[in-house]
Amino acid sequence: MPQTPMPAVGDAAPEIRAAVTGDGEFDLAAQRGKWVVVYFYPRANTPG
């Protein structure tokens, strides 16, 4: 998977789509205009 540059503070969030538990998909663009927290965490079982 190609690396994308890290966004700078104040940049618009990149397009994000992800599968959700159960059936469905989360689409960040569908949340436009709402307060949303997107949290990324390190791979499971790694320090950090």
Side-chain angles (χ1 to χ4, degrees):
M1 182 184 286
Q3 293 263 336
T4 56
M6 182 174 284
V9 173
D11 283 356
E15 291 294 321
I16 297 174
R17 283 190 175 176
V20 296
T21 302
D23 191 23
E25 184 176 78
F26 173 80
D27 183 7
L28 185 60
Q31 308 306 311
R32 192 172 308 271
K34 301 175 186 176
W35 286 92
V36 177
V37 174
V38 179
Y39 176 78
F40 295 92
Y41 60 92
R43 178 183 238 175
N45 298 318
T46 60

